[in-house]
Amino acid sequence: MVMLQPLPALAPKTTALKVVKVPSADPRSDAFAVLAQVPVMGGGSARLLNALPSAISALRANKGRSILTALGIIIGVAAVIAIVALGEGASASVASQLAGLGTNVLTIQPGSTQSGGASSGAGTGVTLKSTDADAVAAVAGVSAVSPVVSGNTQVIAGSQNWSTRIQAVLPAYLTINAWTIAQGAAFTTNDNTSSANVAVIGQTVATNLFPNGQSPIGQSIRIRNVPFTVIGVLTSKGSTAGPGGDQDDTIMIPFRTGQVRLFGATSINQIVLQVRDAAQIPTVTTSITTALSTLHKLSASAATDFRIQNNNDIITRVSSVSSTMTMLLGGVAAVSLVVGGIGIMNIMLVSVTERTREIGIRLAIGAQPTDVMSQFLIEAVLLSVLGGFVAILVGSGVALLMPYVAGWTTVLPWNAIALAFGVSGAIGVFFGIYPARKASLLDPITALRYE
């Protein structure tokens, strides 16, 4: 008889399950992961900050496209800064030259002469005399007066010679026209009364007559074979684009010396005067016209035989033209800002189309349309602001290099820099609204089906 032994109980076999952790996408580098996150509910500022990382990730995911898009803003803002800096520099240069003309200055010139019915032009007549200057000096509101007798002639100093403009003037002429002395001294009223043979020369004359660096002070020069002693050198004023040419190419001598000993003239070329207050210029001009018309025995209906020119009008006119040119050039450069803004809008529209499914997912899991709109609007503004910041560096660098590379005077316009940066941000908002709104209005079902 076989006894059956019971089989040992089999222990149940257990299988250990190995848990594998699937790494989650890094939200900082995956634009889709950030987009798919359930938005944090909260205030408007909190939701706006929540959209910022998503916008940055989207821009980083398409670096090349982002850089090319911002390039339009960079070129536009940099061009505006560089051109406005050039315009401001030109205005400053013109202003410094115009300042040398003096302020509140009136110039009286003789009228024109006629021969056979042909007019020779203003200033060719011989209607002004030194007695006219005395009459002008008596007009109320006039602070200084100087008659002027001038002419071009050859000047000799040792073995050197130079053709220049000789001006016989009173000491007040230097004050009226804002001339200062760089070396030596100016001639005085006593020098004019005694008809002294002394001269004050400009920088151009000093350079050409005394080329070896020797001091002109105390040196003898010959003007029309009349010996003069140089007692002063004028501070340089530079050249002007107008008929004045090189202002430093001149020699000034006492008025009586020039009128009697050098030119032997009974008439004068012009009368230069300064008015105490700019507001008095119209009244003073009328008074001078009346005084000279009476002195010249002109009837009330007769045309005047002299012409009065206001230097303030010239300064205002030239400054206005310079400012207009600066604004025009800045406006032309600003067109590229609009072009850059259109480029941003175009790229953002393309981005909305490419990310339609992502937008659908975010809307489907509870995102608000304003969240989507904020994201795309922030992307557009970031492109503009970053482009504007780079443009400030580029434009400022170009403006600072212009004087060394091209020799042009520039003035870095900080107000224009701030304005251009603000405009770049505004362009991002303006041209980013339409793509952002289009993205926020997408239907979630339609967006999820988009291929």
Side-chain angles (χ1 to χ4, degrees), residues 112-422:
S112 62
T113 58
Q114 291 189 349
S115 178
S119 177
S120 301
T124 57
V126 289
T127 57
L128 294 181
K129 301 182 182 299
S130 48
T131 52
D132 294 330
D134 296 334
V136 169
V139 173
V142 175
S143 59
V145 176
S146 173
V148 180
V149 177
S150 61
N152 290 340
T153 188
Q154 203 77 13
V155 181
I156 300 173
S159 60
Q160 305 295 326
N161 67 89
W162 184 252
S163 179
T164 187
R165 182 176 67 257
I166 311 298
Q167 297 184 87
V169 297
L170 294 179
Y173 181 86
L174 279 73
T175 303
I176 294 171
N177 287 279
W179 281 103
T180 57
I181 302 297
Q183 301 178 47
F187 49 81
T188 64
T189 303
N190 290 334
D191 292 329
N192 179 69
T193 303
S194 61
S195 300
N197 287 12
V198 292
V200 176
I201 63 177
Q203 291 284 351
T204 300
V205 177
T207 301
N208 286 276
L209 291 182
F210 305 97
N212 298 323
Q214 58 180 321
S215 174
I217 306 302
Q219 300 293 330
S220 177
I221 60 176
R222 299 185 68 83
I223 306 174
R224 290 187 176 182
N225 289 325
V226 178
F228 283 80
T229 301
V230 178
I231 61 171
V233 179
L234 297 167
T235 303
S236 176
K237 282 190 178 183
S239 301
T240 62
D246 186 0
Q247 298 182 81
D248 299 326
D249 194 0
T250 185
I251 295 178
M252 297 182 189
I253 60 176
F255 175 73
R256 287 181 58 85
T257 305
Q259 186 183 36
V260 177
R261 295 186 180 180
L262 200 63
F263 296 107
T266 56
S267 62
I268 59 179
N269 296 100
Q270 61 183 15
I271 301 171
V272 179
L273 63 108
Q274 191 168 40
V275 182
R276 289 190 181 90
D277 188 357
Q280 295 180 301
I281 289 179
T283 304
V284 170
T285 301
T286 301
S287 300
I288 291 174
T289 302
T290 302
L292 293 184
S293 296
T294 302
L295 194 61
H296 294 184
K297 299 179 179 180
L298 300 175
S299 63
S301 59
T304 58
D305 56 357
F306 56 88
R307 183 168 63 96
I308 302 177
Q309 178 178 291
N310 184 357
N311 276 18
N312 286 9
D313 291 340
I314 300 175
I315 294 173
T316 302
R317 192 179 305 116
V318 175
S319 299
S320 176
V321 170
S322 179
S323 299
T324 302
M325 289 300 298
T326 301
M327 293 177 62
L328 178 62
L329 292 174
V332 171
V335 173
S336 58
L337 282 174
V338 179
V339 175
I342 294 174
I344 288 178
M345 183 170 63
N346 184 42
I347 293 301
M348 293 309 299
L349 286 172
V350 172
S351 180
V352 169
T353 302
E354 289 181 348
R355 296 155 62 187
T356 300
R357 285 180 58 83
E358 300 177 12
I359 297 170
I361 292 174
R362 187 167 186 180
L363 292 173
I365 62 177
Q368 298 296 319
T370 53
D371 297 322
V372 177
M373 184 174 181
S374 298
Q375 177 192 337
F376 282 92
L377 193 57
I378 289 173
E379 289 182 24
V381 173
L382 281 176
L383 283 174
S384 295
V385 171
L386 291 176
F389 179 75
V390 174
I392 289 175
L393 299 179
V394 174
S396 301
V398 171
L400 293 175
L401 286 175
M402 276 186 185
Y404 302 99
V405 176
W408 297 337
T409 302
T410 58
V411 175
L412 204 57
W414 296 109
N415 55 341
I417 291 175
L419 180 62
F421 186 73

